[in-house]
Amino acid sequence: MKSPSTFLWFIFLFCFSVPSFSQRWSVGLQAGENLSTLTGDNQNDFRLGFVGGINASHYLSKNIVLRLELNIERKGAKPDLSASPDIPDVNAVTDYSFDYLSLPLLLRYTTGKKVRWVAGGGPSFNYLLRERSQFIGTNQLETGEFRRVDIDAIVGLGAGVPIGGKFTITLEGRGIFGLRKVNKATGTATDLGRHLSWGLMAGLNYYL
């Protein structure tokens, strides 16, 4: 398997690469909202979620940045029940909610002076903390029915405005595409598919 070795190689670069200018590191906070859904057998609408956490960035060169984040992230989906019969099915799920501890590892290109533009992407390794399925009139925790480890591909585009010599306020849009199916579907069970989400995130970075 190539995934573990690739991940370790990124960590090696993150820790030991030496750029040729003064601002080598930055740390920061980020938070935002996302709209997410599931791409499985059933038709699902987007559900509002959130993301928030901390980050550390290492400048491999003047324009190339390796960024590691640690986030708490909520994703989900709202099944489309418009085709359901007049009498509601009490076993029909009306809302899925997934809470993850996520570790994105992103390679980014940044340019500009008064406004710092940034674009990039990379993988995110996620651990499922809790899943909640909302049924008509009740809800259930069904974390054990879903994969604990999930992997996403992230692409992002954003900008930052420096404040003084040490701080930057950032705003970034992201697309997140799940690489694994979320549920352990067996037999005739419904395949919920993969996560798909779009988000907007604001942050504050401090340059060391």
Side-chain angles (χ1 to χ4, degrees):
M1 296 178 63
K2 295 184 179 180
S3 297
S5 60
T6 302
F7 179 72
L8 292 174
W9 175 244
F10 272 121
I11 293 294
F12 176 82
L13 288 176
F14 186 83
C15 295
F16 297 106
S17 297
V18 180
S20 58
F21 59 100
S22 59
Q23 290 183 331
R24 299 181 181 180
W25 293 87
S26 73
V27 294
L29 307 169
Q30 67 276 344
E33 293 184 333
N34 61 52
L35 289 171
S36 63
T37 189
L38 292 167
T39 62
D41 292 336
N42 295 338
Q43 181 68 37
N44 292 303
D45 294 326
F46 283 88
R47 182 192 193 280
L48 184 64
F50 63 83
V51 60
I54 58 177
N55 69 76
S57 297
H58 183 42
Y59 282 73
L60 304 178
S61 70
K62 183 179 179 180
N63 300 106
I64 303 298
V65 184
L66 191 61
R67 170 161 159 154
L68 183 67
E69 297 179 0
L70 181 64
N71 296 321
I72 296 293
E73 186 172 8
R74 174 166 292 177
K75 302 175 185 178
K78 286 188 173 294
D80 184 1
L81 302 179
S82 59
S84 298
D86 295 335
I87 301 176
D89 181 1
V90 295
N91 295 316
V93 179
T94 60
D95 181 273
Y96 290 105
S97 174
F98 301 84
D99 293 337
Y100 287 99
L101 180 67
S102 62
L103 186 72
L105 184 61
L106 308 173
L107 190 63
R108 295 146 67 93
Y109 179 83
T110 179
T111 186
K113 293 183 179 179
K114 292 185 178 181
V115 176
R116 297 290 294 179
W117 301 98
V118 62
S124 177
F125 304 90
N126 314 312
Y127 181 78
L128 180 62
L129 300 174
R130 191 195 73 157
E131 188 281 335
R132 178 186 60 80
S133 297
Q134 179 73 48
F135 296 85
I136 296 175
T138 185
N139 65 76
Q140 296 181 18
L141 297 178
E142 299 186 327
T143 309
E145 301 300 317
F146 295 84
R147 298 186 190 277
R148 283 290 186 150
V149 178
D150 190 25
I151 303 175
D152 295 331
I154 298 177
V155 294
L157 180 65
V161 178
I163 301 177
K166 290 290 187 178
F167 290 94
T168 298
I169 294 177
T170 63
L171 186 66
E172 181 178 347
R174 285 188 177 180
I176 302 176
F177 310 93
L179 301 181
R180 300 190 73 192
K181 295 179 180 179
V182 299
N183 62 322
K184 304 173 183 177
T186 58
T188 59
T190 300
D191 183 358
L192 296 179
R194 299 170 173 85
H195 287 297
L196 171 64
S197 62
W198 306 94
L200 190 64
M201 189 167 60
L204 178 65
N205 282 10
Y206 175 77
Y207 291 86
L208 304 176

